Amino acid sequence: MKVAIIGCGAAGLTAASYARRTNRGARVTIIERGSSPAYSRCGLPLLLAGEIQDPQSLLFADQEWYRANGIELLLKTGAVKILPEERKVLLSGEHTGELAYDSLVLCTGADPILPNLPGIGLRNVFTLRGLDDALQILEVLKTCRSAVVVGGGAVGLEAAVALRSRGLEVTVVEMLPQILPGVLDPEPALEVQRSLEARGLKFILNSRLEALEGKERVEEVVAGGHRLPCDLVLLCLGVRPDLTLAAEAGLEVDRELQAIKVNSRMETSEPGIYAAGDCACSPSFTGVHILNQLGTTAVRQGKVAGINAAGGRAELPPLVGTFVTKLFDLEVASAGLTEKQAGELGIGCISAAAELSCRPKYSPDRLRLRIKLVASQEGRLLGGQIVGPREAGLRAQILSLSLALGKDVGWLASAEFCYHPLVGEVNEPLSTVAEILARKLRR
Amino acid sequence: MKVAIIGCGAAGLTAASYARRTNRGARVTIIERGSSPAYSRCGLPLLLAGEIQDPQSLLFADQEWYRANGIELLLKTGAVKILPEERKVLLSGEHTGELAYDSLVLCTGADPILPNLPGIGLRNVFTLRGLDDALQILEVLKTCRSAVVVGGGAVGLEAAVALRSRGLEVTVVEMLPQILPGVLDPEPALEVQRSLEARGLKFILNSRLEALEGKERVEEVVAGGHRLPCDLVLLCLGVRPDLTLAAEAGLEVDRELQAIKVNSRMETSEPGIYAAGDCACSPSFTGVHILNQLGTTAVRQGKVAGINAAGGRAELPPLVGTFVTKLFDLEVASAGLTEKQAGELGIGCISAAAELSCRPKYSPDRLRLRIKLVASQEGRLLGGQIVGPREAGLRAQILSLSLALGKDVGWLASAEFCYHPLVGEVNEPLSTVAEILARKLRR
């Protein structure tokens, strides 16, 4: 049995590894156009901040690992075309000719969205998608004193924090009226913004990028009527699935999400072809497909795709979209839908928010978290947002499982949590907010 | 409507508070034989350690709170007898006569188990059950240089850590071959023991307390053939439900657990009488009744009892038994059954354990946890144990919910968790251990 995988990112590597475990006799081949096997993109902001010194440490596994695990890794090799009828992929680059497959996993990933503006080609204008980007930025960083980050999503903010921790003056420009619109509602987003401002970040919201100006090097950003002088620009406008191969091969693409549509087994519309990672959208807990371009999702989709591609049987539970980041000393986490997103899906919802202590009042360990929970009008949990110095992410895990299981607010309010004065509070704050929400629902 | 509550501990206070919320017109009365309203017993070791200075800070609420919430609090008043037919409680002490009720909640708590040994009355022999105990110990602490703690359960270990952090030489004596037998299997228990030994605690296992010797003050403990000179002895042998009133009133008592038997609504065998807290056993997730003498359980049972006693409707989900403590810099957490306990219940089981990193290898934040999961031979999760510097308790919450819902190992292995290099690992260690266990199950 021949399993071919296009793209060696987190999804591709995981697919290969699980294909190998599932079928010891299979021939597993990864085609990767870049010169490096999979590394952690999530670590790039840490590299930028100088919290990681060695770029090589971001590699999930070195080439020896692929050899030792019997995974053929074709680097610097492009997949030019898929021939679904003949079950072949045409190759170019270091390896040419064609690669026959019995099953194929597309992990073609996504590319940074670039605005179509003059000045985009100026020096010191970067994206932060790949290791090369980070290394180039590090190279010019010594000569830069101010930066503009365009995009107030997670990657933009992580990059902004990294640059700020290097001592640069940093301004974040965001088109929408709030930061982190994908994971937070406006009020918690404002909390996060205030906290980042206290650490020296500047924000310009409601402002679209209009121009990049300068002679050779970028010197000024124009956005929402503001002129922002700067030595460095980071464009963090999100990423767009790479559909080139999929579209040409006739695979079904979700029109709205512009991503390869897969079912819970990661099967595309074409028998024997699977997709996973940043290029694929799969069913979510609300029933609709979502494109959830997170590392964890890439790994989980890759695992399911790899097992199925090698003849096993695996299914991905509906995606919740569970997220956490760390910005200076603030953990920002969320799971499921924001109130705004629920509204956009036409789901009538209700919410409760509170800032609560996670320790008894007498505890020497202080910790307060701001928690918001969102539920349907029938009381089903739809999402939650948690912001605080620590332990926000682990509470998002609890919410994630509750959402995946379709639990209601009352259930979370009466769930069993353990406590110790140095570790938690008798009344777990998630339960307390759920109880507030349950009372609202009864009215 | 008249709701009477006997005992103002965590359960009694919570019952009163929820009875009041449920029925604004009810007359809610708490009868408490002590001189203080409810305070946090869990904070006593911190008081002993000097991490809390002010004993008053342990009060959940001051007397003004009870007044403001329309809860009548009769301190220094004993409930002498319950007359179920007449729906009355006979009182003695500061308030005498009788108190009529429509519904009654028994929160009589539990008393420390004392060995029937000569020397038990010597000076400097203490238990650590109440605030008075802690204050007395603090009083003599200045003149003590060494202590023996009898009992290697959670309270014994927390007390031992507190005394050690005060600079005393501390030896823990435990009857069984391991510490924390109620929450850990032997291997993780040994890990914890080694870690505590590294911080200077001494352990004598497999040893029953035989004698307390001394002239006026305790001078020596004899246990398992060892003679242990010491200036202070703490007896932490567990607590036994106070059944005096319940037995006399003819309420059903679980013979094995020697606790008041209640259903999921906290109803005793007598209509209109409820019980909650350390005196009550209620149904667990395995179907049998358990006596789970934790603060969180007292609060949850008290809430359900208070709502139902006031005419509302509430039910307690089956108990899991979710536990966490902090011993020096080690969090020790567990949920559900240990492998040993499952065996004792006649449930055939299988387990997997691993020490895993909770951060990617390149993360500047290091955290490793030791995790053990226990499942039935059919793959249903039965319990888990987690030991490490932090984040163990929050993982016990995740396990607790999984256990309460009767989820299986495969479900936990494929559950969605979020990640960030500074907050978590792409593959959540709980999932990784679940996956190891799932592979064992397939064999």
Side-chain angles (χ1 to χ4, degrees), chain A residues 397-428:
Chain A
Q397 321 288 31
I398 294 168
L399 283 180
S400 173
L401 303 192
S402 309
L403 292 164
L405 292 163
K407 303 314 287 182
D408 66 18
V409 167
W411 180 83
L412 186 60
S414 68
E416 180 177 322
F417 294 101
C418 59
Y419 126 92
H420 178 277
L422 299 176
V423 181
E425 172 54 294
V426 182
N427 296 299
E428 158 58 36

Side-chain angles (χ1 to χ4, degrees), chain A residues 18 21 40 42-43 46 51-52 56-61 158 292 295-297 299-300 303 315-326 331 333-334 361-364 391 393-398 400-402 404-405 407 411-423 425-428 435 439, chain B residues 18 21 40 42-43 46 51-52 56-61 158 292 295-297 299-300 303 315-326 331 333-334 361-364 391 393-398 400-402 404-405 407 411-423 425-428 435 439:
Chain A
Y18 277 86
R21 287 193 203 187
S40 169
C42 304
L46 298 185
E51 292 197 53
I52 302 171
Q56 292 302 310
S57 68
L58 292 180
L59 277 185
F60 289 126
E158 289 177 10
N292 181 234
T296 35
T297 300
V299 166
R300 294 171 73 238
K303 177 177 165 181
E315 221 169 328
L316 189 70
L319 290 178
V320 171
T322 314
F323 167 86
V324 65
T325 186
K326 190 150 191 181
E331 269 187 37
S334 76
K361 63 185 193 311
Y362 62 81
S363 175
E391 299 183 6
L394 278 160
R395 284 186 167 80
Q397 321 288 31
I398 294 168
S400 173
L401 303 192
S402 309
L405 292 163
K407 303 314 287 182
W411 180 83
L412 186 60
S414 68
E416 180 177 322
F417 294 101
C418 59
Y419 126 92
H420 178 277
L422 299 176
V423 181
E425 172 54 294
V426 182
N427 296 299
E428 158 58 36
E435 203 170 312
R439 277 202 292 277
Chain B
Y18 277 87
R21 286 193 204 188
S40 168
C42 304
L46 299 184
E51 292 198 54
I52 304 172
Q56 292 302 311
S57 68
L58 292 180
L59 277 184
F60 289 126
E158 289 177 9
N292 182 236
T296 35
T297 299
V299 166
R300 293 170 74 237
K303 176 176 165 182
E315 222 170 326
L316 189 70
L319 291 177
V320 170
T322 314
F323 168 87
V324 65
T325 186
K326 190 149 192 183
E331 268 187 39
S334 77
K361 64 184 192 310
Y362 61 82
S363 174
E391 298 184 9
L394 278 159
R395 286 186 167 81
Q397 322 287 32
I398 294 168
S400 174
L401 304 191
S402 311
L405 293 163
K407 304 314 288 183
W411 179 83
L412 186 59
S414 68
E416 179 177 322
F417 294 100
C418 60
Y419 127 91
H420 178 276
L422 298 177
V423 181
E425 173 52 296
V426 181
N427 296 298
E428 159 57 35
E435 201 170 316
R439 276 203 293 276

Side-chain angles (χ1 to χ4, degrees), chain B residues 29-83:
Chain B
T29 307
I30 309 181
I31 304 157
E32 166 58 42
R33 65 182 167 196
S35 56
S36 157
Y39 57 87
S40 168
R41 291 188 200 286
C42 304
L44 296 178
L46 299 184
L47 193 64
L48 218 55
E51 292 198 54
I52 304 172
Q53 305 299 331
D54 177 16
Q56 292 302 311
S57 68
L58 292 180
L59 277 184
F60 289 126
D62 59 15
Q63 295 195 41
E64 179 45 36
W65 180 89
Y66 293 83
R67 264 191 296 275
N69 284 274
I71 295 166
E72 192 175 13
L73 174 61
L74 311 180
L75 291 177
K76 297 182 194 163
T77 301
V80 178
K81 195 173 178 161
I82 301 168
L83 305 171

Side-chain angles (χ1 to χ4, degrees), chain A residues 373-395:
Chain A
L373 293 180
V374 181
S376 75
Q377 276 152 354
E378 295 74 39
R380 183 179 165 180
L381 283 168
L382 293 175
Q385 300 155 51
I386 310 151
V387 176
R390 52 201 154 95
E391 299 183 6
L394 278 160
R395 284 186 167 80

Side-chain angles (χ1 to χ4, degrees), chain A residues 6-50:
Chain A
I6 303 180
C8 191
L13 161 60
T14 311
S17 158
Y18 277 86
R20 162 62 57 244
R21 287 193 203 187
T22 305
N23 187 337
R24 292 278 160 195
R27 180 175 171 190
V28 179
T29 308
I30 309 180
I31 304 156
E32 165 58 41
R33 65 182 166 195
S35 56
S36 159
Y39 58 86
S40 169
R41 290 187 200 286
C42 304
L44 296 177
L46 298 185
L47 193 64
L48 217 55

